[in-house]
Structures are given as structure tokens and as C-alpha cells.
Amino acid sequence: MKNVILAIERNVKVGKDVFLMRLSGDCSDIKNSGEFINISLPGYYLRRPISVCDFSNNHVDILYKVLGHGTKDMSSYQVGQKLDVLVGLGNGFKLKKDIKPLLVAGGIGIAPLISLAKKYNEMGIKPVLVYGAQSKADLVLIDELEKITDLRLCTDDGSIGYKGNTVSYLRESNIEFDYYYSCGPQIMLKYLALAYPNGCVSLEARMGCGFGACMGCSINTKNGPKRVCKEGPVFEASEVEL
């Protein structure tokens, strides 16, 4: 973990209440897809933990949805504004060689899977991505995703792609995979883990500190309580009790 000052290079709306922000500066402590950063917002006491969408040593991209006062303020931040950020948090996804990977995303849970897909592209693999949301309006960055994945879309209302949720789609399709990576609503992750134990889930939780000190984000697992911010946010699907 490192405390750094990063400057906003870009902050653009990419979907319904969804924004893509690029922060520039020393991001060398970010090592893996699936990690998160913790941003201090002016005027707010607690930092905001947000998944890493993409990264290099010199920048980090985050995808966030306006849900409250903090993220609403974030959406108005201008290029050049500097933010106090903790980087290099969480355990992230583990790349596996010689497998057929599957990515499963629900809503804003697409964020950490973007850089993961790019990492697999670098290994010569274009993974299947099953991406679901309530409607077409809730899906983001589709053009970008089509370049880096074999994209399958699901919507609850049938406005695009398969009519239904991602787990139902997987049950009805013939996708061959050895291991999956997933992020999205807890209900999706729960039924995905019950149906397919051979994968991992990236969890969200309310965090006080974001680096393991306060124990506020602890969850139950088959191996006892674990902290989402420290031992997670990525857990084996067979381990968590959702």
C-alpha cells in the first residue's frame, strides 16, 4: 500500500450515471487486476474504495456509478484536480495459464474485469465475457469490450442480448471454461458460486479503513472470518458464505 497524490486526467460520462476517471501519477504499487484504490474526497470523512478498471505504473482508471453525495461530487471534478489516494489495496485476480477463462460481470461489476481481459489478451487469449444488467442502458463500454472479449450480453428486460440474468444464461448455454472470474451484485455471485464452484468472486463491502485495521468489512467464509479489504476482495467461490 502506498499513499499518493494523483491528478485527474479524464472524468467522462460513459453510461447511465456511470463515469470513467483516469488518475495520473505514481501507481506502481498496483500490481494485479481486481485490486482497489481508496480515494479521499474533499469534504468527506471516510475514503471511497473503488475497483481498479485499468492501470499502468503512471495511471489508474476507475469506473464508478453515481449512487450518493460522494460519487455525485466526484462526477463534477475537473481535469487537473488532485486527490489523495491509497493504491495497491486488496489481493486481486490470479492469472492462470493453460486454461479457458470465463468472465462474468453484473452492472458496475464490469470494472475490474476489463484489465483482467486485457491481461489475458497479452497471453494470446480472448476470454468469453458474460455481462448482464437490468437493461441496455445499464451496460457500458460495449464497443471496448467487444475488442478484448467474446462478449455475451444479458438484460433482465430483454432490451439487448439474452433476456434473463447471467447465471440463467450460463445454465442454458454451452460455454466451455475451466475457471471463471466474477464481479457484480451479491445475489448474482451467490447463485453463480452455488452453481459453479470452480471460480472466484470479487466482493464489495462497506469499509472503514480499507487496509485491514478496523475489521469493519469482515465476512464469513468456510475458513472463518476474513476481511474484504485485506484477504479479499477476491475469494474462491467455494470458500465464501454469501
Side-chain angles (χ1 to χ4, degrees), residues 43-204:
Y44 294 89
Y45 177 69
L46 291 177
R47 292 175 180 266
R48 266 44 178 193
I50 301 179
S51 295
V52 170
C53 178
D54 202 3
F55 66 98
S56 72
N57 285 337
N58 302 311
H59 83 272
V60 59
D61 291 343
I62 56 172
L63 194 66
Y64 65 95
K65 187 170 186 177
V66 174
L67 295 171
H69 295 297
T71 45
K72 183 174 178 58
D73 285 354
M74 281 179 63
S75 69
S76 67
Y77 290 172
Q78 300 298 306
V79 172
Q81 181 171 343
K82 295 182 178 180
L83 296 173
D84 182 301
V85 184
L86 297 178
V87 299
L89 299 172
N91 61 348
F93 296 116
K94 295 180 180 178
L95 288 170
K96 295 178 178 288
K97 298 180 179 179
D98 302 320
I99 68 162
K100 292 180 179 178
L102 169 67
L103 314 185
V104 186
I108 199 67
I110 188 63
L113 299 179
I114 292 176
S115 63
L116 179 64
K118 291 181 177 179
K119 294 297 183 185
Y120 268 113
N121 286 179
E122 293 172 4
M123 297 167 62
I125 299 171
K126 190 175 185 180
V128 173
L129 166 62
V130 179
Y131 178 24
Q134 290 185 344
S135 69
K136 181 180 179 180
D138 298 300
L139 299 169
V140 299
L141 303 175
I142 292 176
D143 290 344
E144 171 72 11
L145 294 171
E146 286 179 333
K147 296 175 184 176
I148 60 176
T149 69
D150 179 358
L151 181 61
R152 319 289 178 88
L153 299 176
C154 306
T155 50
D156 293 344
D157 63 3
S159 51
I160 190 173
Y162 171 83
K163 185 176 182 179
N165 60 56
T166 54
V167 180
S168 294
Y169 174 81
L170 286 172
R171 285 173 173 161
E172 295 179 20
S173 66
N174 295 313
I175 298 175
E176 293 184 5
F177 68 94
D178 299 311
Y179 188 86
Y180 70 85
Y181 303 84
S182 61
C183 186
Q186 183 167 327
I187 190 68
M188 181 197 86
L189 300 179
K190 176 180 179 178
Y191 285 103
L192 187 62
L194 288 172
Y196 306 99
N198 57 322
C200 63
V201 296
S202 178
L203 304 182
E204 290 186 357

Side-chain angles (χ1 to χ4, degrees), residues 206-223:
R206 292 186 178 275
M207 297 180 185
C209 67
F211 48 82
C214 73
M215 310 297 289
C217 63
S218 295
I219 62 166
N220 291 322
T221 77
K222 293 177 181 178
N223 298 309

